[in-house]
Amino acid sequence: MSKVVERFLEYVKFDTKSDETSNTVPSTEKQKKLGLRLVEELQEIGLENVSMDDNGYVMGELPANCNDDIPTIGFIAHMDTAPDMSGENVNPQIVENYDGGDIILNKEKNIVLSPNDFPDLKDYIGKTLITTDGTTLLGADDKAGIAEIVTAVERIKSNPEIKHGKIMVGFTPDEEVGRGADHFDVEKFGADFAYTMDGGFIGELQFENFNAAGAKVTIKGRNVHPGSAKNKMVNSTFIANKFINELPEKDRPENTEGYEGFYHLISFNGSVEESTLTYIIREHDSKKYEEMMKFMKSLEEKYNAQYGEGTVKIEIKEQYKNMKEKIEPVMHIVDNAKKAMEEVGVEPKILPVRGGTDGARLSFMGLPTPNIFTGGHNFHGKYEYIPTHSMEKAVDVIVKIIDIYSQK
Ligand SMILES: [Zn+2]
């Protein structure tokens, strides 16, 4: 078994589920248990200034082994797993020489990982896959990323003939609850740029994500006894219904892909007296994104003109932004990641993230951070799996990026 796989199988045994309802940092104390283990491991490998701070952020440094003027490169992954599903007692199953057929995850509960549902499986015939036992998630998101980074720095450290600049590694808590960048000390980290190892299938490389906002629409009605309601009652749910249909049907998540943005109605709570609609707005293109927010906001005026001042109130809050504008000025970090993949025999697939990443937040905090594949599939659920080959390639990609930068 290769080192990266061995590490991965150890890390998934730590239950590190984060919790969005918690106000503590990290959101769950148990994430620090993995943190402590990683501190120990980085020290064993011989990294310097290894620490975990009170917030659960682990950092370590591999000093340069030559005097050339080489940028400091960071590699980042997150320790927590998604709150969507249990990460306790993860019991990984190893499927060797995969034959392209159904994989029975759990006989008792009849849980099957099938290429009929997940056609990507067909790409891995003959490879070794790691799956769940059907009762938990796997945690490849993002323990595969951690295992890949640790294994790569170990390889660099034990092969002194590979010349390199200063390398920083960082492991964060709470990415899955959107707080992974909140307490990341960019200054202490001290890298010129970084990569999150937090993508999906082999070859994935991402430096664009959504611009994102949340909107809360409150609609007031007027309730009176239905028997004497004529010309008096205003039912807010009917106004809400009309409002929903003002937003183009083609701009819904279920009708969009690639670079297309959307208005997504997350929830609708309504009674005669008051209705609230909760939306998220997502769009890659900054101009279109501004227009979408403006359009939604314009409905407030339109409805208030029709139904009376104060009937509709729309509050829009920006959540995160497309990192593209922070990456483009240092595009060599994407170009070299692409080159590194090609040099180790991985076909790069540059795709926009249809969501946000911690790298996006970090990019706006002064640390440009695109995202590289871990190799995993079907994150956040019981069908999560990862081919060992993809993890091994991710290690190669990290080592190659470091190598490319030391050759300049
Ligand atoms: Zn992740």
Side-chain angles (χ1 to χ4, degrees), residues 78 80 141-142 175-176 198 379-380:
H78 64 88
D80 64 317
D141 177 12
D142 189 20
E175 190 272 350
E176 299 291 0
D198 192 20
F379 288 165
H380 299 191

Side-chain angles (χ1 to χ4, degrees), residues 65-361:
N65 65 355
C66 63
N67 293 320
D68 299 352
D69 187 19
I70 303 169
T72 298
I73 311 174
F75 293 91
I76 298 168
H78 64 88
M79 300 186 289
D80 64 317
T81 60
D84 316 44
M85 189 150 193
S86 169
E88 202 181 351
N89 296 323
V90 171
N91 180 24
Q93 308 290 305
I94 297 175
V95 180
E96 281 176 19
N97 195 12
Y98 173 56
D99 64 3
D102 287 358
I103 298 170
I104 296 163
L105 298 178
N106 194 307
K107 209 167 182 180
E108 218 171 290
K109 295 183 175 148
N110 193 27
I111 301 169
V112 179
L113 177 63
S114 169
N116 297 330
D117 304 321
F118 306 105
D120 291 340
L121 278 166
K122 292 273 188 197
D123 295 341
Y124 303 113
I125 293 175
K127 299 276 194 293
T128 298
L129 306 181
I130 304 176
T131 72
T132 71
D133 68 359
T135 61
T136 64
L137 48 66
L138 179 60
D141 177 12
D142 189 20
K143 286 160 182 162
I146 300 175
E148 289 155 5
I149 293 170
V150 174
T151 306
V153 291
E154 181 188 48
R155 191 186 297 171
I156 299 266
K157 174 76 183 167
S158 55
N159 289 285
E161 73 279 5
I162 307 175
K163 296 295 164 212
H164 60 85
K166 185 164 134 186
I167 310 296
M168 293 300 301
V169 302
F171 302 127
T172 72
D174 290 340
E175 190 272 350
E176 299 291 0
V177 293
R179 301 175 204 160
D182 283 10
H183 301 277
F184 193 98
D185 191 338
V186 170
E187 205 171 313
K188 178 181 166 194
F189 198 58
D192 294 296
F193 54 87
Y195 299 91
T196 46
M197 298 300 297
D198 192 20
F201 59 84
I202 186 164
E204 205 172 47
L205 174 58
Q206 301 166 314
F207 69 97
E208 297 169 87
N209 59 284
F210 276 143
N211 294 292
K216 190 178 167 202
V217 182
T218 310
I219 301 165
K220 299 262 188 234
R222 191 190 308 127
N223 201 4
V224 289
H225 190 283
S228 53
K230 189 159 186 183
N231 298 329
K232 292 188 194 102
M233 180 188 278
V234 179
N235 191 329
S236 79
T237 64
F238 297 142
I239 303 175
N241 206 29
K242 202 172 152 194
F243 183 97
I244 291 166
N245 289 300
E246 294 274 0
L247 301 167
E249 202 176 323
K250 67 173 178 47
D251 297 340
R252 293 179 188 166
E254 60 270 40
N255 299 328
T256 58
E257 62 183 354
Y259 284 96
E260 296 162 344
F262 54 74
Y263 297 99
H264 176 37
L265 177 61
I266 294 179
S267 73
F268 179 164
N269 288 302
S271 63
V272 176
E273 195 65 29
E274 187 177 291
S275 296
T276 53
L277 307 173
T278 311
Y279 279 93
I280 56 172
I281 303 170
R282 299 289 187 264
E283 169 59 47
H284 284 96
D285 184 275
S286 312
K287 252 204 197 125
K288 276 192 206 159
Y289 167 67
E290 297 290 337
E291 281 163 17
M292 286 171 81
M293 289 195 291
K294 236 174 151 179
F295 176 69
M296 187 182 257
K297 192 73 184 161
S298 76
L299 295 173
E300 185 178 76
E301 210 174 308
K302 179 178 164 182
Y303 276 64
N304 286 340
Q306 188 178 345
Y307 294 100
E309 204 49 50
T311 305
V312 173
K313 194 173 131 205
I314 304 179
E315 295 158 282
I316 300 178
K317 264 198 196 133
E318 294 203 53
Q319 294 166 326
Y320 54 84
K321 289 177 76 174
N322 188 346
M323 70 170 122
K324 184 178 167 188
E325 67 176 88
K326 298 293 176 190
I327 303 293
E328 273 177 342
V330 286
M331 202 53 189
H332 62 89
I333 68 181
V334 173
D335 295 339
N336 282 330
K338 194 168 156 240
K339 191 172 158 202
M341 288 186 196
E342 283 162 350
E343 286 190 18
V344 302
V346 170
E347 188 194 335
K349 290 167 188 139
I350 297 186
L351 291 169
V353 184
R354 288 181 64 76
T357 72
D358 272 356
R361 299 261 319 278

